[in-house]
Amino acid sequence: MQRNEISVLMSLYKKENPAFLVACLDSVLAQTLLPKEIVIVIDGPITSKLQQVLDEYQSKSGLLRLLPQKENKGLGYTLAIGVEACQYELVARMDTDDLMLPTRLEEQVNCFNQNTDLAICGTNIEEFIEDSSNIISRRLVPESNQAIRQFSKKRNPFNHMTVMFRRSDILKVGNYQPMQGFEDYYLWARLLKAGYKAYNIQDFLVKARVGKDMYKRRGGWQYLINGVRGRIAVYHAGLGNFFDFTVTTGVHIVVSLMPNRIRARFYQEALH
């Protein structure tokens, strides 16, 4: 197997299922192009079983770099710490319960090698419940830089757990910042507004694990409030105009207050 100067970046929370973490790490270590490090920021205290998994893989591969934090502060804080800590220019994001297909890192690195001005590269995803063969939905994202910029005015143009980016470019636009539910979208808005180039590979290179309560968690008053705050920040930082903001915020409010059954159908049929 080849190696390349890539950092894989993850944030680990105490509620993660140890078996899901094992499957995730196995998928990273099965890459046709291995990273040089797997940086895991530990967002507060974790369970002994999760720590056991980390110790085992740290011993097995020698690639893990663990950055334990004293208290849980959320994804925006931990990923900002992780980006600062990564030792290599190309950083691949990954969630601790998802699965990379074997060629993911290699295909993304090829894109950066072919496009020296590229700042970020994502892929499509397949979403599954329990078994990775049980695909319930797919999320396709726009391919070209222009299409991504246009799409970003209304919706997040990347699947977060699939992106690979240049660390230096992310730091130049202010890194991740606390913005519950919108940590990534807010960062991409600033990146695109600053003129950086983007691309999405049109293959499904990550399988994203979703829970049976996924659509339920995308509703309610707190989700509504966090979403409105996030969209205000994206509007001020991004490429969209006031009309785009009004339409997307209105949709967010309606979807947040929908009955769960209707919201699930809306996500599956209208947004994927």
Side-chain angles (χ1 to χ4, degrees):
M1 288 188 185
Q2 296 175 286
R3 290 184 182 271
N4 206 76
E5 294 193 344
I6 309 165
S7 299
V8 171
L9 173 60
M10 294 188 269
S11 173
L12 178 64
Y13 180 52
K14 67 181 179 182
K15 290 187 178 180
E16 185 61 273
N17 184 321
F20 297 169
L21 178 59
V22 166
C24 171
L25 291 172
D26 282 343
S27 77
V28 177
L29 295 176
Q31 291 295 293
T32 54
L33 186 64
L34 284 174
K36 282 200 170 180
E37 64 176 0
I38 303 171
V39 176
I40 302 180
V41 186
I42 304 173
D43 191 8
I46 57 173
T47 65
S48 59
K49 289 185 178 180
L50 284 171
Q51 188 62 53
Q52 185 177 346
V53 171
L54 294 177
D55 292 342
E56 177 185 339
Y57 277 81
Q58 197 170 33
S59 174
K60 178 192 298 186
S61 74
L63 295 181
L64 269 66
R65 287 183 57 217
L66 307 180
L67 303 175
Q69 306 302 302
K70 292 182 179 180
E71 56 183 318
N72 168 242
K73 287 193 172 184
L75 193 62
Y77 286 99
T78 56
L79 292 182
I81 291 168
V83 171
E84 291 279 1
C86 285
Q87 299 180 88
Y88 302 101
E89 174 68 349
L90 291 181
V91 177
R93 268 286 290 123
M94 186 63 175
D95 287 340
T96 53
D97 58 349
D98 295 336
L99 306 173
M100 293 186 186
L101 270 67
T103 61
R104 176 204 161 173
L105 297 183
E106 182 175 5
E107 291 192 42
Q108 289 183 301
V109 166
N110 287 341
C111 286
F112 280 96
N113 288 339
Q114 294 164 13
N115 301 277
T116 55
D117 61 346
L118 188 63
I120 183 170
C121 175
T123 84
N124 293 327
I125 60 170
E126 293 182 317
E127 296 177 325
F128 70 96
I129 291 179
E130 296 179 354
D131 189 280
S132 61
S133 63
N134 182 26
I135 305 299
I136 64 162
S137 62
R138 294 173 172 84
R139 184 170 190 256
L140 284 70
V141 281
E143 180 177 12
S144 70
N145 180 62
Q146 186 55 43
I148 288 169
R149 295 174 70 82
Q150 188 65 28
F151 193 87
S152 75
K153 297 177 182 180
K154 296 182 179 179
R155 291 179 59 196
N156 191 332
F158 299 101
N159 292 311
H160 191 191
M161 72 293 288
T162 75
V163 297
M164 178 181 287
F165 50 70
R166 293 190 192 275
R167 176 178 177 272
S168 58
D169 294 339
I170 294 300
L171 292 176
K172 285 175 185 175
V173 297
N175 205 347
Y176 285 95
Q177 296 178 16
M179 184 69 63
Q180 188 172 350
F182 281 73
E183 297 91 349
D184 58 323
Y185 192 3
Y186 183 43
L187 174 55
W188 315 147
R190 287 179 278 128
L191 191 71
L192 295 171
K193 183 69 174 287
Y196 288 97
K197 299 296 191 300
Y199 181 73
N200 276 314
I201 296 171
Q202 294 300 289
D203 292 333
F204 297 92
L205 296 181
V206 172
K207 291 191 175 186
R209 190 186 304 272
V210 295
K212 294 180 180 179
D213 64 344
M214 173 180 68
Y215 301 116
K216 185 177 181 180
R217 289 186 283 106
R218 294 178 180 177
W221 286 104
Q222 191 57 56
Y223 183 81
L224 185 156
I225 292 167
N226 289 338
V228 171
R229 286 173 178 165
R231 291 185 185 283
I232 290 172
V234 168
Y235 164 60
H236 286 299
L239 299 169
N241 57 33
F242 187 71
F243 176 77
D244 298 322
F245 165 74
T246 302
V247 170
T248 55
T249 303
V251 171
H252 175 84
I253 292 170
V254 171
V255 171
S256 298
L257 299 178
M258 281 179 179
N260 188 51
R261 177 175 56 83
I262 298 175
R263 182 166 51 249
R265 182 178 298 177
F266 177 80
Y267 270 100
Q268 291 172 346
E269 295 181 4
L271 296 183
H272 284 69

